[in-house]
Amino acid sequence: MKNMLTTISNALCRITGRNVLLIDLSEYVNVTSLATPTLAQTLRQPPKPPPVGPRAPAAAQLVSAQTDRLDGPGTSVVVSRSFADFTSQATFDIKKCDVHRLEEAPPLKAELTRDQGLQYYRVMQTVRRMELKADQLYKQKIIRGFCHLYDGQEACAVGIEAAINPSDHLITAYRAHGYTYTRGIAVKEILAELTGRKGGVAKGKGGSMHMYAPHFYGGNGIVGAQVPLGAGIALACQYQGNNQVCVSLYGDGAANQGQLFEAFNMAALWKLPCVFVCENNKYGMGTSVERASASTDYYKRGDYIPGIRVDGMDVLCVREATRFAADHCRSGKGPIIMELQTYRYHGHSMSDPGVSYRTRDEIQEVRSKSDPITMLKERMLSNNMASVEEFKEIDVAIRKEVEEAAQFATSDPEPPLEELCNHLFSNDLPLEVRGTNPWVQLKSVS
């Protein structure tokens, strides 16, 4: 290699009459002279960097170049880095899951490709920025009413989505913005729904707790009510024989509801393909789990149903556990309970400051030690799977997307009065509203 560099350097000197220094930094460095395009074309040239954003190619070829001038006229060293320089795949140790009534457990190692890592980071960061923008719009009184934010819990939604199929089903409680996004709804439609605009995902009539997408059954405002609905969706999957599963999510605050145990019983009797997921974020409204539950081992609450307890702040741990749980259901073994130990940075809702029942130091400690986005980013950087500049470019693109979505959510018109009763019926039957003017009839158009 040294002889080849010396030969090339001497040739460049004779051709250009300039001093050219070539440095061997193995495969990570490309050295050329800017003044000799003919010879430079014979050396490896990096591709142009692609745009980074939600729809950017997964295998984005990042290129960073640095040119340092040395002493002497015309002398230069060009160092370039392409996507081929990054580690394309790595294996990470993940936290062991606690299990209940299971002979096997999720793996202790997880493989991550560079493309997957960048995608997980992009989605989690988008959810984080979207929720922070919702916080801002709420404080400006542009968003009104109920609003439950998901920041801090992003690894749960992204990890679950990475382990199931788009054709699988998901239903959750009122903290639903993150899942609405991972199920395929654009940021601008989510924010427009929060502001009650016509372009919202539910046409401005659902609000924070009632957003829907294909194979996503919302946001549900009644505490715990989505769990038996999820069991019903799993029953439909079993009846149709489509090898699909339903992920039915609830919080620790709903874990003591009687309807959960009724749903557990039916799901176990009929061996329904349902993954019951308890997102344990440590507080049900303003009450800690220790004060609300005699047993905080929520993964054991099914008794006769197998369960696993998972680190819900690690997207890889959530992904592997969910994949294990989904395979359990698809194999005909019946339901399984998965407890995700996570944490919300905001209060229960926007009306809750979130610091009357916990300290700011507690929140900051979780942010500094267990933040799911930071954890993934540091893993990738420490294993040469991405660069700091690449993450910055992704962040800039996400901020721009969220800002444009907020502009849309604040400028889009509100739904007109004549659409008030639309989508109540599946046909065009007229709907007479009592107490209104007798000459006015509102119709339901679906």
Side-chain angles (χ1 to χ4, degrees), residues 188-190 192-193 196-204 408 412-413 415:
K188 73 174 188 177
E189 293 184 57
I190 297 173
E193 188 60 39
R197 305 307 171 104
K198 188 177 179 179
V201 61
K203 302 189 182 300
F408 174 80
D412 194 51

Side-chain angles (χ1 to χ4, degrees), residues 27-56:
E27 62 179 319
Y28 297 102
V29 177
N30 231 0
V31 186
T32 66
S33 173
L34 298 180
T36 56
T38 303
L39 186 57
Q41 291 174 359
T42 66
L43 302 177
R44 180 167 63 92
Q45 295 298 304
K48 294 182 179 180
V52 178
R55 300 188 179 276

Side-chain angles (χ1 to χ4, degrees), residues 242-258:
N242 53 26
N243 199 35
Q244 296 172 358
V245 301
C246 179
V247 179
S248 184
L249 297 115
Y250 59 97
D252 55 275
N256 299 318
Q257 287 265 328

